[in-house]
Amino acid sequence: RDQKDSVVFNCINIYTPPVPRSFFIPALLCAAAGVAFAAASVGIGFGPAIQQSFVNAYNRGAFSQLVLAPTANVQTLGSPGLVQEFPWVANTSLNAALVKPDPTAPVSATDTLQMYADLYTYYKTIGVGTAGYPMIDTTACPISTYGGVCNYQLFTKNYALFVYSNPSGASYSVSDPFYTEWNNGGALNGRLGAATSSNSSATSVAGTAGTQQNFVGGAIYSVTTSSGVTSTWTVAGAIFTAFRNVGGIASIGFPTTEEIVLANGQHQKTF
């Protein structure tokens, strides 16, 4: 056996097929916390090209060190996507996953995406039919003044999911019309940053009903008129601080324009 084709997975390697390194598919028998898992192979079930896609994703970054061997072969996830689940080393009651949104997509570095256990668990409560398929790997949120620690992921149906490890158990989704406004403002790299609440109903000082969602750097407000026209506005930065300090929508109502910069350099927003 060529020792160059052996990989250490902190498990018992029970099978190393005599194939080139690029097609090495580990089949493992792993045990954690006294629980034995029947081994499956990474990427098996839908042909060699799909296999290679899943192996590439499995070997990308630290994913292979964070999971145990898959307990089942690749399965369908909605239509046309594919998924394979992996017990999470830190908590084997949870699964991480590799997801290939389009089985016909050519093999590339990122045609199959990684979902860590926190995001995948939350994602399953929402469903592929609602959120769509992941567009990026699970990613750590930028460090912010909010002080929370979270992972996030973007999805094809204008959805973003955030799961916080601190404060523990906090999970928030961002969907339209909030997602489009947030994304147009730079998403995680914009002034708003990560979500810090779910969207919720809100009523202004004038009795106007709308919805709002809070973020690290501000909030988004959405109001639908009696004629069915929805307006969605961001309040962020120094204006958000001033807006909050005077009582927010309970004091001066919903925003009615986007923020503008005057000729003298000052920022202005109408409420």
Side-chain angles (χ1 to χ4, degrees):
R1 181 181 299 171
D2 185 351
Q3 292 302 314
K4 293 186 296 183
D5 285 337
S6 294
V7 180
V8 177
F9 291 89
N10 296 320
C11 306
I12 303 169
N13 195 337
I14 62 170
Y15 177 56
T16 304
V19 295
R21 181 192 296 262
S22 61
F23 279 87
F24 171 53
I25 313 296
L28 308 173
L29 181 63
C30 302
V35 180
F37 295 92
S41 296
V42 177
I44 293 295
F46 285 83
I50 299 297
Q51 245 179 57
Q52 189 61 62
S53 294
F54 276 79
V55 170
N56 289 348
Y58 178 82
N59 288 325
R60 188 168 62 248
F63 186 85
S64 65
Q65 304 303 309
L66 299 173
V67 299
L68 300 177
T71 55
N73 290 338
V74 176
Q75 309 290 321
T76 58
L77 177 66
S79 179
L82 300 173
V83 65
Q84 188 170 32
E85 297 183 346
F86 301 76
W88 192 243
V89 167
N91 182 351
T92 55
S93 67
L94 302 178
N95 286 329
L98 298 176
V99 177
K100 186 173 176 67
D102 181 3
T104 66
V107 176
S108 69
T110 56
D111 64 294
T112 299
L113 287 312
Q114 300 171 352
M115 297 193 71
Y116 284 12
D118 54 355
L119 261 297
Y120 187 59
T121 300
Y122 187 33
Y123 173 66
K124 288 192 295 183
T125 69
I126 293 171
V128 62
T130 298
Y133 294 104
M135 298 192 295
I136 61 171
D137 289 338
T138 296
T139 304
C141 299
I143 296 173
S144 71
T145 55
Y146 173 68
V149 179
C150 67
N151 287 333
Y152 77 98
Q153 205 147 2
L154 307 180
F155 296 83
T156 54
K157 291 191 173 182
N158 287 359
Y159 244 82
L161 301 182
F162 297 85
V163 179
Y164 283 81
S165 56
N166 180 26
S168 179
S171 302
Y172 307 118
S173 64
V174 180
S175 57
D176 274 336
F178 298 95
Y179 179 90
T180 296
E181 178 76 7
W182 174 76
N183 193 52
N184 288 344
L188 261 292
N189 297 317
R191 293 194 299 164
L192 287 170
T196 58
S197 78
S198 301
N199 65 68
S200 60
S201 59
T203 303
S204 74
V205 63
T208 303
T211 51
Q212 64 182 14
Q213 185 160 17
N214 297 324
F215 296 80
V216 169
I220 296 175
Y221 299 89
S222 185
V223 178
T224 302
T225 66
S226 57
S227 59
V229 176
T230 299
S231 297
T232 305
W233 310 108
T234 294
V235 185
I239 288 182
F240 178 71
T241 299
F243 172 66
R244 183 177 54 191
N245 287 343
V246 299
I249 61 171
S251 177
I252 61 175
F254 287 107
T256 57
T257 66
E258 292 290 10
E259 186 175 315
I260 61 172
V261 181
L262 303 176
N264 62 5
Q266 293 183 333
H267 291 237
Q268 176 180 293
K269 192 173 187 71
T270 304
F271 295 82

